[in-house]
Each structure stands twice: as C-alpha cells, then as structure tokens.
C-alpha cells in the first residue's frame, strides 16, 4: 500500500518516514503529489481534527493517508491551550504572541506541569482508520531557553531530556516527542 503524508512540515514528514515509512510500499508528501489543501480544523478534540485533515486529503487520492493533530496542555489552565494551541492568541498566528499569552495566563498559578499530546490517524482507502496517541511530560518555565524547535518549545522543559525542547537538537526531541510516541503507537497496530 502507498501512503500520503498529510503535512507540509519537512520535520514532520521526515519523522513520519523514519518511524512508519517502512511499513508502506512508498510514501509521498503533499508537495510531491501537488496537493494543496488546508482545511479548517473545527473539531473540539485532536482526533476530530486529525480526521478532518486526513479526509480532506482523501478527496485528492486513493492512497492511504496519515494525518496528525497536536497541542500543548497545561495543568493549571485546565488543559488549555489544547486544540487551540496554534491560534491561542488569535490571528495572525504568532509563536511570540502565543507564548506571551500563555505566560500571562499562568501568572500566579500552579502547578506549571504540562504535556504535549499528539494524535495520528491512518486513514485507509475504504474509509476505515487506525489511531495512535502519544504524549510527553514537562513543565512551563518563565524564561525562554534555546532557539530550536518551534511554537512553545523554548518554554517547555522536558523531564525526559532535562532541558527545554528549544535547547534540544532535532534528534533529541524526536527521540521523546509526542509525535514519535503516537507514531510508535500506530506502528504497533500495523
Ligand atoms: P499541529 O498539530 O501541527 O496543527 O500543531 C498544533 C499546534 O500545537 C502548533 O501550532 C503549536 O502551537 C503546538 N505544538 C504542537 N506540537 C508542538 C511541538 O512539538 N512544539 C511546539 N509546539 C507544538
């Protein structure tokens, strides 16, 4: 079976190929198939949004599709920003504005424990699907450390790595990340 990776993010595409690509005859990125598709993520949970992405791509192909949705969940904020992580501070999307709002909303609150979570959906041509989930735990620190990663990474201190995701190399992050865990969870089911 051939697989389409529903992402335009080169890091994600590489990570997905490394972990799960071997289970398929051939893998394609959206760019390789010239598919331009960016549906609105309107669901209230990660699985719902991953399915929206996967099903939107299936309109363009009869291959299997893998799509993910992920976010940051902070305990003292009741799990926010959650599914709203990408647009936490509204439009236009800005990591800087999201991080500033996160720190402001957390002022004076505890615990600062948090997790990144990811849901991966593998949608088959017949419409059936398998789901993998993963998470990585840490806490939100008050000052940025490191310039690596993206999004909330300079403020996310990983318990596994004993440093922020901003300070980690891509390989270090990929070894413990929520996306890697979700991919391994999916791989187990194939
Ligand atoms: P998506 O799953 O690519 O749509 O990501 C949703 C949002 O969650 C991103 O825009 C980030 O704000 C946040 N997020 C998800 N994974 C990570 C990560 O590994 N590092 C930093 N932020 C992340």
């Amino acid at each position: 079976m051939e697989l389409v990776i529903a992402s335009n993010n080169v890091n994600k595409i590489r990570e997905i190929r490394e972990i799960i690509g071997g289970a398929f005859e051939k893998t394609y990125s959206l760019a390789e198939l010239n598919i331009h598709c960016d549906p609105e993520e309107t669901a209230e949970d990660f699985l719902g949004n991953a399915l929206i992405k996967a099903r939107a791509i299936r309109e363009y192909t009869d291959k299997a599709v893998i799509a993910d949705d992920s976010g940051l969940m902070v305990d003292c904020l009741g799990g926010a920003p959650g599914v709203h992580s990408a647009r936490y501070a509204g439009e236009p999307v800005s990591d800087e504005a999201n991080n500033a709002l996160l720190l402001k909303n957390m002022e004076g609150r505890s615990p600062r424990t948090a997790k990144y979570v990811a849901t991966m959906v593998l949608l088959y041509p017949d419409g059936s699907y398998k789901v993998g989930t993963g998470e990585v735990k840490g806490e939100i620190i008050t000052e940025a450390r490191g310039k690596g990663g993206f999004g909330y990474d300079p403020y996310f201190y990983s318990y596994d790595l004993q440093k922020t995701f901003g300070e980690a190399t891509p390989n270090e992050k990929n070894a413990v990340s929520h996306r890697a865990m979700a991919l391994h969870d999916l791989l187990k089911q194939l």
Side-chain angles (χ1 to χ4, degrees):
M1 188 176 301
E2 297 190 327
L3 179 71
V4 181
I5 301 170
S7 176
N8 290 311
N9 177 319
V10 284
N11 253 317
K12 270 193 199 176
I13 295 169
R14 198 194 57 209
E15 201 178 358
I16 291 172
R17 280 192 164 132
E18 275 174 15
I19 297 176
I20 214 168
F24 295 85
E25 258 169 65
K26 195 166 173 22
T27 61
Y28 300 87
S29 68
L30 294 181
E32 284 164 348
L33 296 178
N34 211 8
I35 296 176
H36 301 280
C37 173
D38 193 13
E40 230 184 300
E41 296 170 26
T42 51
E44 276 309 307
D45 56 35
F46 296 104
L47 174 58
N49 282 330
L51 276 171
I52 287 175
K53 286 186 216 175
R55 287 178 174 146
I57 303 302
R58 209 160 61 98
E59 303 283 316
Y60 298 81
T61 177
D62 51 10
K63 305 180 199 307
V65 179
I66 188 166
D68 78 321
D69 193 39
S70 57
L72 176 72
M73 302 181 74
V74 178
D75 289 328
C76 67
L77 299 178
V83 286
H84 305 293
S85 293
R87 288 172 179 73
Y88 191 40
E91 306 270 358
V93 170
S94 149
D95 287 345
E96 211 180 328
N98 285 342
N99 282 318
L101 182 64
L102 182 71
L103 294 185
K104 181 167 165 281
N105 288 347
M106 290 179 70
E107 262 170 33
R109 293 183 189 238
S110 63
R112 299 183 70 89
T113 44
K115 60 186 176 183
Y116 277 127
V117 301
T119 297
M120 286 278 167
V121 167
L122 175 61
L123 181 64
Y124 290 102
D126 69 0
S128 65
Y129 61 86
K130 289 192 194 311
V131 180
T133 58
E135 60 177 52
V136 56
K137 293 193 169 157
E139 56 191 60
I140 303 301
I141 59 174
T142 52
E143 281 182 21
R145 283 195 218 156
K147 296 203 183 315
F150 67 99
Y152 303 94
D153 283 348
Y155 294 91
F156 183 82
Y157 179 88
S158 158
Y159 293 145
D160 288 319
L161 299 180
Q162 299 280 303
K163 58 180 155 185
T164 72
F165 272 4
E167 294 170 301
T169 65
N171 281 346
E172 285 172 334
K173 181 178 168 185
N174 288 347
V176 300
S177 83
H178 44 317
R179 261 181 299 279
M181 297 304 124
L183 282 165
H184 285 293
D185 187 33
L186 198 54
L187 187 60
K188 275 194 314 217
Q189 303 171 49
L190 300 186

